[in-house]
Amino acid sequence: MPYSSFASMPCTLSRPAALLGERWTLLLLRQIFLGTRRFEDFQATMDISRSVLTDRLNVLLQENVLKRVPYNEDGRTRHEYRLTEKGRDLYPVLMALRTWGEKWMAPEEEETFHLHHRDCGGGVRAKVECTECAAELTARDVQVTAKQ
């Protein structure tokens, strides 16, 4: 099945996979959540080609994950990239991938950065919970039923 056909599948997992499944897109979102906003800064921190970066930014703009915001530098108007509400809602997705990657794919000797809650200093993790009772859930706790 061609990669592009995932976007048209009637599945709430395949459509996001079509948008986010390309490795540069996830790394670009990581940089945005770390505070990178400008094209040149993305290139410098990610070692990504101009054409690939332009393509990925355009996809995220078209999907309303990012918006372009003008700023002035040296008398010229330029643009930086900011997350929309739709983009900010991807934070738990990236946190879940990061948590899984730290557990299963990071070498033990590898130093990594730590995330802390600004208010209390506690650690940060992704959590799946029941919308009614707030119980934390695993796949074994969830029953799938067809939508009526």
Side-chain angles (χ1 to χ4, degrees), residues 13-148:
L13 187 57
S14 64
R15 289 184 212 121
L19 173 63
L20 304 173
E22 197 282 325
R23 64 184 173 156
W24 284 115
T25 302
L26 287 173
L27 295 177
L28 180 58
L29 287 167
R30 175 200 64 192
Q31 286 309 121
I32 291 168
F33 279 110
L34 290 174
T36 306
R37 304 267 186 268
R38 298 179 180 178
F39 190 94
E40 294 77 18
D41 295 335
F42 289 122
Q43 265 198 297
T45 58
M46 296 173 62
D47 194 28
I48 184 173
S49 74
R50 292 184 71 80
S51 61
V52 171
L53 178 56
T54 298
D55 179 60
R56 298 311 176 268
L57 287 170
N58 284 335
V59 167
L60 293 173
L61 288 166
Q62 289 169 355
E63 290 292 328
N64 196 33
V65 171
L66 297 179
K67 62 184 175 185
R68 286 175 43 153
V69 177
Y71 69 93
N72 287 312
E73 184 175 82
D74 300 327
R76 292 179 21 189
T77 299
R78 304 188 60 141
H79 291 89
E80 61 185 19
Y81 298 88
R82 297 288 178 114
L83 291 162
T84 62
E85 179 183 3
K86 183 177 180 179
R88 288 187 300 274
D89 280 351
L90 285 168
Y91 189 70
V93 175
L94 269 64
M95 290 303 303
L97 282 171
R98 180 185 183 278
T99 300
W100 183 86
E102 289 235 332
K103 180 176 181 178
W104 296 105
M105 300 189 84
E108 288 184 32
E109 68 277 357
E110 182 178 275
E111 281 293 317
T112 184
F113 58 90
H114 299 282
L115 301 172
H116 302 280
H117 181 207
R118 287 181 198 239
D119 289 347
C120 74
V124 178
R125 67 181 169 105
K127 181 179 174 183
V128 177
E129 66 182 17
C130 174
T131 60
E132 295 297 318
C133 70
E136 191 166 351
L137 306 173
T138 68
R140 291 182 177 187
D141 301 315
V142 178
Q143 177 182 352
V144 179
T145 56
K147 191 172 181 178
Q148 306 262 346

